[in-house]
Amino acid sequence: MKKIIDGKMYNTETAILVAEYNNGFGCGDFHYVCEELYITKKGAFFLYCEGGALSKYSDTNGNSSWGICKIIALNEDEAYEWLERYNEVEAIEKYFSDRIEEA
């Protein structure tokens, strides 16, 4: 999927997949959520997101709802928070080693 945001191209085909989250529901389930964190060749982070009709990734016309796919640009802080939320330790060590220290 490709999307241009503020004049910048975000492309899942050319970016590097950093980590992914799936809520465990099947892709045909109304509550399904899948998020994939990518980094571009120039170091910009973004999420590719998809979900079912009753997920946070849905759209409605008032009478019915459906799942959608979208790309969301993230700054470094947002990408780090996303990785920490899903306990993606290896990705944090790889991309944000300067932000962590031994407890």
Side-chain angles (χ1 to χ4, degrees):
M1 179 176 191
K2 295 180 189 178
K3 183 168 186 178
I4 297 173
I5 303 171
D6 295 328
K8 296 180 181 175
M9 172 72 76
Y10 298 89
N11 184 347
T12 58
E13 301 271 329
T14 59
I16 298 166
L17 179 62
V18 175
E20 55 191 317
Y21 165 76
N22 182 309
N23 67 357
F25 290 97
C27 63
D29 193 285
F30 287 164
H31 298 283
Y32 169 73
V33 169
C34 180
E35 298 175 342
E36 298 175 344
L37 179 67
Y38 287 88
I39 187 168
T40 67
K41 294 174 185 173
K42 291 189 173 184
F45 288 96
F46 68 95
L47 279 179
Y48 167 78
C49 312
E50 61 183 36
L54 296 177
S55 75
K56 62 183 175 179
Y57 302 114
S58 63
D59 208 349
T60 183
N61 65 4
N63 294 323
S64 60
S65 297
W66 55 90
I68 61 169
C69 302
K70 66 193 246 179
I71 287 179
I72 302 169
L74 301 179
N75 63 38
E76 285 189 1
D77 291 336
E78 293 167 326
Y80 177 82
E81 290 170 11
W82 188 93
L83 289 167
E84 195 173 67
R85 180 180 322 122
Y86 297 114
N87 197 33
E88 293 290 342
V89 176
E90 288 97 23
I92 292 172
E93 289 174 333
K94 181 174 181 176
Y95 295 99
F96 296 101
S97 61
D98 59 324
R99 293 190 183 205
I100 56 174
E101 62 182 67
E102 199 64 39

